[in-house]
Amino acid sequence: MGIYKLGHVEARVPDLELAAAYYTEVLGLVEVDRTEDRVYLKAWDEHDHHSLVLKYAPRYGMEYMGWKVESLDDLERFENAAEEWGCIVERVGDHELLATGPGIRFETPSGHNMMLYYLMDQVGNGLPKTNPPPRPLELVGIAPKHLDHLLLTCEDVPETSRFMSEALGFRLVEQIISGEGHQTSAFFERTHTTHDVAFIKGTNGGLHHYSFWLDNISDVMRAADILRLNGVEIEIGPTRHGISRGHTIYFFDPVGIRNEVFTGGYYVDPVQWEPITWTEDQIGKAIFYYEGKLLPSFQGQHS
Amino acid sequence: MGIYKLGHVEARVPDLELAAAYYTEVLGLVEVDRTEDRVYLKAWDEHDHHSLVLKYAPRYGMEYMGWKVESLDDLERFENAAEEWGCIVERVGDHELLATGPGIRFETPSGHNMMLYYLMDQVGNGLPKTNPPPRPLELVGIAPKHLDHLLLTCEDVPETSRFMSEALGFRLVEQIISGEGHQTSAFFERTHTTHDVAFIKGTNGGLHHYSFWLDNISDVMRAADILRLNGVEIEIGPTRHGISRGHTIYFFDPVGIRNEVFTGGYYVDPVQWEPITWTEDQIGKAIFYYEGKLLPSFQGQHS
Amino acid sequence: MGIYKLGHVEARVPDLELAAAYYTEVLGLVEVDRTEDRVYLKAWDEHDHHSLVLKYAPRYGMEYMGWKVESLDDLERFENAAEEWGCIVERVGDHELLATGPGIRFETPSGHNMMLYYLMDQVGNGLPKTNPPPRPLELVGIAPKHLDHLLLTCEDVPETSRFMSEALGFRLVEQIISGEGHQTSAFFERTHTTHDVAFIKGTNGGLHHYSFWLDNISDVMRAADILRLNGVEIEIGPTRHGISRGHTIYFFDPVGIRNEVFTGGYYVDPVQWEPITWTEDQIGKAIFYYEGKLLPSFQGQHS
Amino acid sequence: MGIYKLGHVEARVPDLELAAAYYTEVLGLVEVDRTEDRVYLKAWDEHDHHSLVLKYAPRYGMEYMGWKVESLDDLERFENAAEEWGCIVERVGDHELLATGPGIRFETPSGHNMMLYYLMDQVGNGLPKTNPPPRPLELVGIAPKHLDHLLLTCEDVPETSRFMSEALGFRLVEQIISGEGHQTSAFFERTHTTHDVAFIKGTNGGLHHYSFWLDNISDVMRAADILRLNGVEIEIGPTRHGISRGHTIYFFDPVGIRNEVFTGGYYVDPVQWEPITWTEDQIGKAIFYYEGKLLPSFQGQHS
């Protein structure tokens, strides 16, 4: 099976208290643990110890992304594969990171810190394992069900795509191709959804956004209310993507990291899928199907 | 990866024209092909040639279920595994069945005909592979997106569970346990959803229902309208399951096969999932969370 | 304009604390005021002081229904009209009832206590009158927007219909006619919705249910979750009415009064509407369009 | 009762065929009748003969708006009231206009042609009056349920407000007030919804948009899909208004008239409502609550 899931993201935030307050009260994640310089959060329906780590740092951004693998053998296999691509791979011991099993860590050709790991401590979703109700009685804020995917930026999308496919076994679901025939965006899956991670052209090592899952369009509409009632600015949405067909809202956490809430998509056959291609003249529809045009702000990070 | 998806079901129907009319006009599947005694159907967002085959036969029921595997090696591996369980395994040649790659066929200990196969001809979902809109302009009837799962009956649920897990690699997601501690229902996944197939106590070889996927609760409510506008009786729903948390409607096709439309559920970690257990005194909530009690009709087939 | 709105209902409850806890925490009404033997409640988006009064009494039921009229002249006009029908009409002084303007009170031919009154003290909906957000940030329980309508029982539906139309100016929207041509149910409006009050055949003076408004089908589905999470039994629903086309759930408060949450319906032209007629052989569809049959429990009060 | 409903709008369109095709196939109105230079349309759930008339004319815009009154006496009363305000009032004979009862016609101080009329021929909503299903089986396009409201422009909003209130009995629901304390927008009701007609500052006699009603947010989201699948540009939305709290999409018909689909709002007590005031510094939120800012295009007509 190899990599089977985006497990967690560590984000750098210049104001830990402000960020933690936003992620728990507005986005509605659950605070699970806290150390001197880190806050560990999970979405309510996740069972793993955490899916988002806020780490104090002077400049906001993504510290690393953590992906779950099926077995210890996978770690060794990916260690070899990444080294063959020239990556310097570091071993991470069992519970060297809080609540996290053994893993490997390396920088991808796209300039992102990537961790692969086997197992995370289970804390459960707050519902009993015997005769559980379908949801908790009380939820705070938007309360997405789980971390869904990442959108990252890099200088060389085709090179990054090859690494993701050949070294790590990601499958290409959709892509944007420029007029000259170059791949400028690439969307990859390991969960047979429309994307677990995607790359668009930009600075190496950049984070465009991370995205949290909602079950229904009506939850997306409700999320827009909650954001605005809390004074959070919406960048765009509720709207719909052409790529992935998902319904979406983009907005920013208080330190400037773009967040998304997302629902929808389609099943991707991991064996027989033929990627969808968008031509760059249709990029407006590809990104925002209702607006039909890109947002000026959307290409970069928040300033 | 092994088995990765419920690919198709062949249903026996005593009136092929009546059944085909219902499945295309009310449920809103697409007729892809037709032979003298069979009609081949797919849901609109499936790319495989078919997911439901209607076969003329005097008595309604499930002829077989077909599951997709990742590779030719898997076929050999499962052939051995099934034979070790005492199944008589038959090879099916490439395109011996319409549009279907090579496979194996055997009867499970639960008395169901099971086919595993590698590849199916792709017909696409009617949208272009370049710059596709998010949905077709015209859809007929309920128009679910894809076949989702099966519920089958068998005499010995624990034995069937062992076969599904040990021989075929299915993972147990939820189960019902009787007062005496016997497993009376078992829900299994291969797609990290709440169930791709489930078994409840009953006649060996029986089909309780097959289920089609809708994206939203509002689509489930709309499906109820469409069923009734077409004079189709609803057995129960719109309601919600305790098991799987899904929103659901049960109803019958014109020959007596129970259908379901379904949305919801949750992500199942294929490595670290601990099964949910329902105790039989809570079976009402487990099956129909809103009603809190079983339907008298629900245990059996339509009569 | 005459009568323009169902203003409030006073319900008799044998356990005031239990009922108040349910109506505030589960249904999600707001407690506005309290006296020794009464609790005054409103739905969050109502501006009037109260729409539901719980009054301690040994036996549950409806004490009276209060309807708002446009002017003091209306009171005099309806006083005369009711007296012409043989009702004994009593004047109620300004603020003789808490927060309530002057009115008249009488027993209808159907055996119900009816109050008509002019003005109620305004307490607002909790949102500012300048630059209000579209909803409060925090809502508790189901949190319907307002009291919507009543369903009452009486022995002589045609006689009651004549009184409602001729004496009080209600307009008939829908009705059920028995095989012998007798009207057995009648639905009346004053707000150009499908019904503000309806009568079905039963005991004189009986209350079948009162109903609260939700804006969307997704709110109805969410209400079902909240009821069950709080251990409240659902009588039926989420389902849809043939009459009124509304989406609905029926359930009981802890003292046995049937509640409904409701959304949908259609605009009724108060000048040119021609009533819809249901024949009694279609009563199943008329009441529960999805089930197509009446519930045994539905005809009576809770026991 | 006086004026009780916006009955119909006559729109001038420079291309009758193009406009008729759009309104029937994309918006999903029903064509009821057609003369040499006019096409008569209704929304599916309206019973009146028409609610939108397309009239051939070289320049697009609103020819007149037609409002229904309760009685012939109302016509005489409003004739006097309008004349007192200096309007020149013209009588319109019974069926002088197709399918339309007797009325009066005059130009408002805001420069709009206004017709008040008593009765329109009934054509029904396509469902039987005995045992009707809750909706037709087949609907085309967006298929709103009825015409909902108008937004008009005028030079002097306070003067227009006085005319609407004092001469015609409209009730002010919400308003925008400039920093200098001048009323720059005013929203009026006669149906106890948030608005049947509104005025914003602009050219006298101008039409900003007309709006059609949908029952649910999910229908609004579906409308966005249908517009884009048909190649119709969306000006803004799906989004939410601060004023009225409604969920909305704005878009243009092929001749340049702005259309809206709308759902939501709240009940307005016609006797005790205290208007909501928006200050101009909050106009962004007032108009588009999610975006928090006005659209540059939004102030004017399409160019």
Side-chain angles (χ1 to χ4, degrees), chain C:
Chain C
M1 192 157 34
I3 296 171
Y4 70 90
K5 188 187 190 306
L6 174 62
H8 67 279
V9 173
E10 184 166 292
R12 293 185 305 267
V13 298
D15 186 329
L16 201 53
E17 288 314 310
L18 183 67
Y22 160 83
Y23 279 106
T24 53
E25 291 163 27
V26 181
L27 192 59
L29 303 183
V30 179
E31 184 178 323
V32 180
D33 216 330
R34 187 181 276 245
T35 64
E36 202 182 342
D37 65 343
R38 283 187 176 84
V39 177
Y40 295 81
L41 303 163
K42 64 182 279 293
W44 78 264
D45 202 23
E46 293 170 327
H47 295 258
D48 284 8
H49 182 273
H50 57 263
S51 59
L52 180 64
V53 184
L54 305 177
K55 178 197 179 183
Y56 172 76
R59 219 182 115 73
Y60 76 82
M62 185 177 81
E63 184 69 16
Y64 74 90
M65 52 180 164
W67 294 82
K68 297 184 83 172
V69 299
E70 191 187 5
S71 66
L72 288 171
D73 289 352
D74 286 322
L75 294 180
E76 193 168 320
R77 189 159 59 84
F78 289 123
E79 185 175 29
N80 294 336
E83 284 174 345
E84 275 176 35
W85 274 76
C87 303
I88 297 162
V89 181
E90 181 191 356
R91 282 269 169 179
V92 185
D94 191 12
H95 283 74
E96 187 177 313
L97 297 185
L98 184 67
T100 310
I104 59 173
R105 195 154 47 190
F106 53 91
E107 188 182 311
T108 64
S110 61
H112 296 91
N113 295 319
M114 189 169 198
M115 182 184 179
L116 308 181
Y117 62 103
Y118 173 59
L119 303 181
M120 180 174 274
D121 292 356
Q122 298 292 293
V123 295
N125 67 352
L127 302 176
K129 274 292 181 176
T130 303
N131 304 327
R135 39 160 281 191
L137 186 48
E138 302 296 344
L139 290 170
V140 174
I142 293 173
K145 287 180 67 180
H146 54 77
L147 175 64
D148 191 75
H149 68 262
L150 291 174
L151 181 56
L152 306 174
T153 63
C154 65
E155 288 166 18
D156 188 338
V157 174
E159 169 79 354
T160 297
S161 287
R162 272 189 299 278
F163 177 75
M164 295 299 286
S165 303
E166 294 170 19
L168 302 180
F170 281 84
R171 288 172 287 258
L172 182 67
V173 180
E174 305 203 23
Q175 60 183 340
I176 304 178
I177 299 292
S178 73
E180 298 78 35
H182 302 307
Q183 188 188 52
T184 58
S185 306
F187 293 74
F188 294 99
E189 69 86 12
R190 286 295 309 168
T191 60
H192 321 335
T193 61
T194 53
H195 51 325
D196 296 306
V197 63
F199 293 88
I200 60 173
K201 210 167 155 46
T203 319
N204 257 11
L207 168 68
H208 186 274
H209 71 265
Y210 36 74
S211 182
F212 293 88
W213 177 262
L214 295 173
D215 264 354
N216 271 289
I217 293 173
S218 52
D219 293 331
V220 175
M221 298 308 282
R222 177 182 160 275
D225 283 352
I226 291 175
L227 289 169
R228 298 297 285 141
L229 286 167
N230 282 285
V232 176
E233 208 178 307
I234 290 175
E235 188 184 28
I236 189 166
T239 184
R240 189 170 195 179
H241 294 306
I243 293 173
S244 87
R245 306 184 197 155
H247 289 85
T248 175
I249 309 173
Y250 286 111
F251 47 99
F252 292 92
D253 77 10
V255 305
I257 298 176
R258 189 184 279 104
N259 289 189
E260 184 188 35
V261 287
F262 178 88
T263 193
Y266 50 81
Y267 173 78
V268 176
D269 189 309
V271 176
Q272 294 198 276
W273 181 255
E274 179 198 339
I276 289 171
T277 296
W278 295 82
T279 56
E280 211 157 58
D281 59 313
Q282 297 294 310
I283 195 170
K285 274 189 191 178
I287 307 297
F288 300 122
Y289 185 69
Y290 293 157
E291 290 76 6
K293 56 177 177 282
L294 268 187
L295 220 54
S297 68
F298 192 72
Q299 289 295 74
Q301 291 188 330
H302 203 241
S303 55

Side-chain angles (χ1 to χ4, degrees), chain D:
Chain D
M1 192 156 35
I3 295 171
Y4 70 90
K5 187 187 192 303
L6 174 62
H8 67 280
V9 173
E10 184 166 293
R12 295 186 302 267
V13 297
D15 186 329
L16 200 54
E17 287 315 310
L18 183 65
Y22 160 83
Y23 279 105
T24 52
E25 291 163 27
V26 181
L27 192 59
L29 303 183
V30 179
E31 184 178 323
V32 181
D33 215 331
R34 188 180 274 247
T35 63
E36 202 181 342
D37 65 344
R38 282 186 177 84
V39 177
Y40 295 82
L41 302 162
K42 66 182 279 294
W44 77 263
D45 202 24
E46 293 170 327
H47 295 258
D48 284 8
H49 181 273
H50 57 265
S51 59
L52 180 64
V53 184
L54 305 176
K55 178 197 179 182
Y56 172 75
R59 221 181 113 74
Y60 75 83
M62 184 178 81
E63 185 70 14
Y64 75 90
M65 50 180 165
W67 295 82
K68 298 185 82 173
V69 299
E70 191 188 5
S71 67
L72 288 172
D73 288 352
D74 287 321
L75 293 180
E76 194 168 320
R77 187 159 60 85
F78 288 123
E79 184 175 29
N80 294 335
E83 283 175 346
E84 275 175 36
W85 274 76
C87 304
I88 297 161
V89 182
E90 181 192 357
R91 283 269 169 178
V92 185
D94 191 13
H95 284 75
E96 188 178 312
L97 296 186
L98 184 67
T100 310
I104 59 173
R105 194 154 47 188
F106 53 91
E107 188 181 313
T108 64
S110 62
H112 296 92
N113 295 318
M114 189 169 198
M115 183 184 178
L116 308 181
Y117 62 102
Y118 173 61
L119 303 181
M120 182 176 272
D121 293 356
Q122 299 292 293
V123 295
N125 66 353
L127 301 176
K129 274 293 180 176
T130 303
N131 304 327
R135 39 161 281 191
L137 186 49
E138 303 294 345
L139 290 169
V140 174
I142 293 173
K145 286 179 69 179
H146 54 77
L147 176 63
D148 191 75
H149 68 262
L150 289 175
L151 181 56
L152 306 175
T153 64
C154 65
E155 289 166 18
D156 189 338
V157 174
E159 169 79 356
T160 297
S161 286
R162 274 189 298 279
F163 177 75
M164 294 298 286
S165 303
E166 295 169 20
L168 302 181
F170 281 85
R171 288 173 289 257
L172 182 67
V173 180
E174 305 203 24
Q175 59 183 342
I176 303 178
I177 300 292
S178 73
E180 297 78 36
H182 301 309
Q183 189 188 52
T184 58
S185 304
F187 293 73
F188 294 100
E189 69 86 11
R190 286 296 309 168
T191 59
H192 321 334
T193 61
T194 54
H195 51 325
D196 296 308
V197 63
F199 292 87
I200 60 173
K201 212 167 153 46
T203 318
N204 258 9
L207 168 68
H208 185 275
H209 71 264
Y210 36 73
S211 182
F212 293 87
W213 177 262
L214 295 174
D215 264 353
N216 271 289
I217 293 174
S218 52
D219 292 333
V220 174
M221 298 307 283
R222 178 181 161 276
D225 283 352
I226 292 174
L227 289 170
R228 298 297 285 141
L229 288 168
N230 282 285
V232 176
E233 207 178 309
I234 290 175
E235 188 184 27
I236 189 166
T239 184
R240 189 170 194 180
H241 294 305
I243 294 173
S244 87
R245 306 183 197 156
H247 288 85
T248 175
I249 309 171
Y250 286 112
F251 47 99
F252 292 93
D253 77 10
V255 306
I257 298 175
R258 188 184 279 103
N259 289 189
E260 184 189 34
V261 287
F262 178 89
T263 193
Y266 50 82
Y267 173 77
V268 177
D269 188 308
V271 175
Q272 294 196 275
W273 180 254
E274 179 197 341
I276 289 172
T277 296
W278 295 82
T279 56
E280 211 156 59
D281 58 313
Q282 297 294 311
I283 195 170
K285 274 189 191 177
I287 307 297
F288 299 122
Y289 184 69
Y290 294 157
E291 289 76 7
K293 55 178 179 281
L294 268 188
L295 220 55
S297 67
F298 192 71
Q299 290 295 75
Q301 291 189 333
H302 204 241
S303 55

